[in-house]
């Protein structure tokens, strides 16, 4: 219905200020005219002795345009004045008023377009567009249908409900339709932008999905922190994981190595010097490791030095002390070699280590051979949980041969086996079963 509800005859009379029987045309949107008022061409005549102002808005004082007109000269409602030249003056005034009215209609026609039907339309913002800004809609308001812009003489479009004060009764052309269409599109676009902004603000306030990846919503931040707390370890756990394994941990860890491996056969001395800690008889030794084993030479060298100089070992009561060197003339060479290379060097002293894949002291040479397979994997007699003890036994047993000790078997059931017993092979000899033992003096 446009900006106002459809008005009946009662509304028309009330708005125009005319009463029945005064000559007002009902339903035409035109203001009643005094019978004594001469017509000014076509259209409406101005009020007597009052400047012509469109829409009855004294506060709208713009000159010209769609909201008002320039002040008009007073209209003389008298008939031809008496006296000489009176009729010429009357006609001149009437012609001046007609020209001003024509100029004003032409200016408004160019600004707002011609009228539709018999009633002129006062241009102005449509109420549905104004209401769109009073309350933010949840969705963009669709533009008004084209037929809503067409109005009849029974649907006046004044800003205050009053009929137009002027109009030529011509039908409005396509310019008004385009203007209203553009106005509707612009208002709908502004409404859409406002709706999007309001929806985005509400979504951000509620932590909803409107928060884009570029923004940092509270919910997403919380969930991100939660996921990081689950996936990421605590600083203490990271420090523990990043910390290197201790000597005992490394000595208790098995390493992969094939039982039939035969490596390059070339040896490389472990660099560095580890001085003898005691004051007993000093033995100087060097450590060689076969190339291509993939084992840690430093760990092996550290294990030999700590084991031999332990008070439970051959250094008991300060009787001996051992010093590792990497150059010069050693008393013997402790060699870590693959099973195949160990067999070669043990065979030089008439010893067969291939049958049980064991180690030996190749007495005909300067090498004490430690089988790398046994060093890496241990033996079933000690088990996987006593790998540290087995490695200590392996060093003490083979160096004991170099120091002149032969094999010794267990004599007391349930007692620790002698370090010179072949514990890699068995702990049960002649029905006497003993416990695994890595030390020369286990009770010390």
């Amino acid at each position: 219905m446009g900006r106002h509800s459809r008005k009946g005859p009662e509304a028309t009379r009330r708005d125009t200020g005319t009463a029945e029987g005064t000559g007002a045309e009902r339903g035409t949107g035109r203001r009643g005219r005094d019978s004594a008022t001469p017509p000014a061409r076509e259209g409406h005549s101005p009020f007597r002795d009052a400047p012509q102002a469109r829409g009855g808005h004294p506060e709208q004082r713009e000159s010209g345009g769609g909201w008002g007109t320039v002040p008009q000269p007073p209209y003389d409602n008298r008939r031809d004045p008496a006296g000489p030249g009176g009729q010429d003056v009357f006609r001149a005034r009437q012609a001046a008023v007609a020209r001003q009215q024509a100029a004003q209609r032409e200016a408004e026609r160019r600004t707002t377009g011609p009228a539709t039907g018999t009633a002129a339309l006062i241009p102005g913002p449509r109420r549905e567009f104004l209401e769109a800004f009073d309350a933010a809609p949840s969705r963009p308001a669709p533009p008004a249908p084209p037929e809503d812009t067409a109005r009849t003489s029974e649907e006046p479009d004044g800003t205050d409900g009053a009929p137009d004060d002027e109009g030529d009764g011509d039908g409005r052309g396509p310019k008004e339709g385009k203007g209203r269409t553009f106005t509707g599109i612009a208002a709908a676009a502004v409404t859409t932008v406002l709706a999007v902004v309001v929806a985005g603000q509400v979504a951000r306030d509620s932590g909803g999905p409107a928060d884009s990846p570029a923004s940092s919503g509270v919910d997403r931040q919380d969930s991100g922190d939660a996921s990081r707390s689950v996936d990421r370890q605590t600083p203490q756990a990271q420090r523990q994981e990043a910390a290197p394994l201790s000597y005992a941990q490394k000595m208790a860890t098995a390493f992969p190595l094939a039982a039939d491996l035969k490596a390059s056969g070339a040896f490389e001395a472990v660099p560095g010097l580890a001085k003898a800690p005691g004051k007993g008889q000093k033995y100087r030794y060097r450590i060689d490791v076969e190339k291509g084993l993939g084992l840690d030479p430093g760990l092996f060298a550290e294990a030999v030095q700590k084991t031999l100089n332990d008070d439970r070992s051959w250094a008991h009561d300060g009787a001996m002390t051992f010093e590792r060197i990497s150059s010069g003339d050693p008393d013997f060479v402790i060699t870590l070699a693959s099973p195949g290379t160990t067999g070669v060097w043990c065979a030089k002293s008439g010893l067969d280590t291939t049958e049980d894949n064991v180690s030996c002291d190749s007495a005909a040479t300067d090498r004490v051979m430690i089988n790398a397979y046994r060093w890496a994997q241990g033996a079933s007699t000690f088990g996987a949980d006593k790998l540290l003890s087995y490695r200590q036994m392996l060093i003490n047993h083979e160096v004991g041969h170099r120091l002149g000790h032969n094999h010794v078997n267990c004599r007391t059931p349930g007692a620790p086996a002698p370090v010179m017993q072949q514990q890699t092979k068995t702990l049960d000899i002649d029905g006497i079963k003993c416990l695994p033992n890595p030390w020369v003096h286990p009770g010390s």
Side-chain angles (χ1 to χ4, degrees):
M1 292 295 294
R3 299 189 56 205
H4 300 283
S5 300
R6 184 180 185 95
K7 296 183 177 59
E10 293 298 329
T12 302
R13 288 194 297 272
R14 181 174 59 255
D15 293 340
T16 58
T18 61
E20 293 187 41
T22 58
E25 296 178 13
R26 299 181 57 182
T28 62
R30 299 179 180 271
R31 190 180 302 276
R33 184 166 64 234
D34 194 297
S35 59
T37 303
R41 297 182 64 177
E42 289 189 6
H44 301 289
S45 297
F47 295 112
R48 291 194 188 94
D49 302 326
Q52 186 177 11
R54 184 167 174 258
H57 291 283
E59 70 276 8
Q60 302 295 344
R61 299 173 181 174
E62 296 89 336
S63 60
W67 294 103
T69 61
V70 297
Q72 302 295 327
Y75 180 77
D76 192 350
N77 195 34
R78 296 173 298 171
R79 297 186 181 274
D80 295 346
Q87 187 169 358
D88 294 337
V89 173
F90 172 77
R91 290 178 179 176
R93 290 180 178 177
Q94 193 175 35
V97 171
R99 285 194 300 272
Q100 289 181 357
Q101 289 180 345
Q104 183 173 344
R105 286 196 300 272
E106 179 63 20
E108 183 172 351
R109 186 187 65 79
R110 293 179 180 178
T111 304
T112 62
T116 300
T118 60
L121 301 177
I122 298 177
R126 295 176 61 181
R127 182 169 300 277
E128 56 266 29
F129 296 152
L130 297 177
E131 292 175 351
F133 294 94
D134 294 339
S138 59
R139 64 183 65 180
E147 59 270 13
D148 189 52
T149 61
R151 292 186 173 83
T152 64
S153 60
E154 297 179 354
E155 298 174 356
D157 192 23
T159 57
D160 60 350
D164 294 337
D165 290 328
E166 58 197 19
D168 54 9
D170 295 337
R172 296 189 181 268
K175 289 186 178 181
E176 181 186 12
K178 292 183 179 178
R180 293 184 179 276
T181 301
F182 294 154
T183 303
I185 293 175
V190 173
T191 303
T192 302
V193 172
L194 290 176
V196 171
V197 171
V198 172
Q201 184 65 39
V202 172
R204 281 192 295 272
D205 294 340
S206 60
D211 290 326
S212 62
S215 63
S216 56
V218 175
D219 292 345
R220 186 174 65 256
Q221 182 178 1
D222 293 342
S223 62
D225 293 342
S227 64
R228 286 193 293 270
S229 64
V230 173
D231 299 335
R232 185 181 299 176
Q233 294 178 339
T234 61
Q236 182 178 1
Q238 290 179 349
R239 286 193 298 270
Q240 292 177 353
E241 182 176 341
L245 296 176
S246 65
Y247 166 77
Q249 290 173 330
K250 291 178 182 179
M251 288 290 287
T253 302
F255 307 114
L257 197 138
D260 57 352
L261 174 65
K262 185 175 183 180
S264 63
F267 303 112
E268 185 175 23
V270 176
L273 172 67
K275 285 189 169 294
K279 296 181 179 180
Q281 184 179 354
K282 181 187 293 185
Y283 288 92
R284 302 171 73 235
Y285 69 95
R286 189 181 79 228
I287 290 183
D288 286 354
V289 177
E290 186 178 9
K291 296 179 180 179
L293 288 180
L295 299 176
D296 185 0
L299 176 63
F300 180 70
E302 183 180 7
V304 170
Q305 180 72 1
K306 286 183 176 182
T307 299
L308 293 179
N309 287 290
D310 193 291
D311 188 63
R312 294 167 293 178
S313 184
W314 302 110
H316 180 65
D317 286 342
M320 302 177 188
T321 186
F322 298 87
E323 182 174 281
R324 180 175 68 84
I325 62 175
S326 57
S327 61
D329 295 329
D331 294 316
F332 51 88
V333 179
I334 301 177
T335 306
L336 181 64
S338 63
T341 302
T342 298
V344 171
W345 279 88
C346 291
K348 293 179 179 182
S349 298
L351 301 173
D352 184 8
T353 59
T354 60
E355 182 177 353
D356 296 309
N357 215 356
V358 293
S359 304
C360 79
D361 170 40
S362 182
T365 69
D366 60 353
R367 295 187 180 278
V368 176
M369 304 300 298
I370 304 296
N371 192 320
Y373 171 75
R374 292 300 179 184
W375 172 262
Q377 294 292 316
S380 59
T381 51
F382 278 70
D385 59 333
K386 293 182 177 62
L387 189 55
L388 170 61
S389 297
Y390 176 79
R391 288 169 175 170
Q392 292 169 332
M393 184 277 300
L394 193 59
I395 293 169
N396 280 326
H397 181 92
E398 300 304 336
V399 171
H401 282 305
R402 176 63 59 166
L403 296 176
H405 299 278
N406 295 320
H407 288 148
V408 178
N409 295 331
C410 180
R411 297 298 180 186
T412 305
V419 73
M420 295 309 297
Q421 182 174 323
Q422 292 179 301
Q423 296 182 60
T424 297
K425 293 182 178 181
T426 182
L427 292 172
D428 189 352
I429 298 176
D430 298 333
I432 301 175
K433 188 174 182 179
C434 295
L435 301 177
N437 170 47
W439 300 111
V440 180
H441 304 279
S444 302

